[in-house]
Amino acid sequence: MHLYMWFKSISLLLYKCNLDTTSLTSIDDLSVTQITQHSITLNWTSVSGSSGYYISYERLDFSVPVTPTYMRLGGSDNTSVALNKLTAGTRYMIRVWATDGSGVNQPIEKTVKTEDDIPSPPRLMI
C-alpha cells in the first residue's frame, strides 16, 4: 500500500502539481553510455541549483498495460544511473527531471532499445 501511494504521489508531482515551476534550466544533454541486453546506463550534466533528479522509465510495449518505474537521485552531482533488470530487445521511454525541492523542470526524454537476446548456437547431434 505504501509503495503504491509513493508511486502515485511521484506521478502527481511530476505530471501535474509542480511540473516546470522552478527556475532550474532543463537537462539538455542526456546520453546513453552503455546498452546491454538487460541494462541501460545514462549520463547528463549537472543542473546548477538542483538538489537531485527524478528518473522514470517504461517499456514501450503496447500489448500489455505498463506502469512507469520511478527513481530519485539525491545531490546535484549525482548525474549517472544504470537501469537494470530490463527485458532484452525492448524499447524504453526514459525521462529525467531536475528538482530543487520545490518543483521540477521540464523533462528530457529519450527512447532506447536494449540489445536483442543472442540465440544459443545449435547443438550438434552426433
Side-chain angles (χ1 to χ4, degrees), residues 9-84:
S9 65
I10 292 296
S11 293
L12 291 173
L13 170 70
L14 297 177
Y15 290 112
K16 295 180 182 176
C17 296
N18 293 326
L19 187 61
D20 201 21
T21 60
T22 72
S23 59
L24 294 173
T25 59
S26 291
I27 299 167
D28 60 3
D29 64 345
L30 180 62
S31 62
V32 177
T33 57
Q34 184 177 9
I35 300 173
T36 69
Q37 292 173 335
H38 303 288
S39 69
I40 298 169
T41 303
L42 307 167
N43 285 5
W44 59 91
T45 302
S46 179
V47 173
S48 179
S50 72
S51 61
Y53 303 92
Y54 288 102
I55 298 97
S56 76
Y57 61 97
E58 61 190 282
R59 290 173 55 142
L60 293 178
D61 180 356
F62 302 108
S63 64
V64 295
V66 177
T67 301
T69 299
Y70 295 97
M71 305 169 71
R72 183 173 188 318
L73 298 177
S76 63
D77 293 333
N78 198 355
T79 58
S80 179
V81 66
L83 310 177
N84 296 307

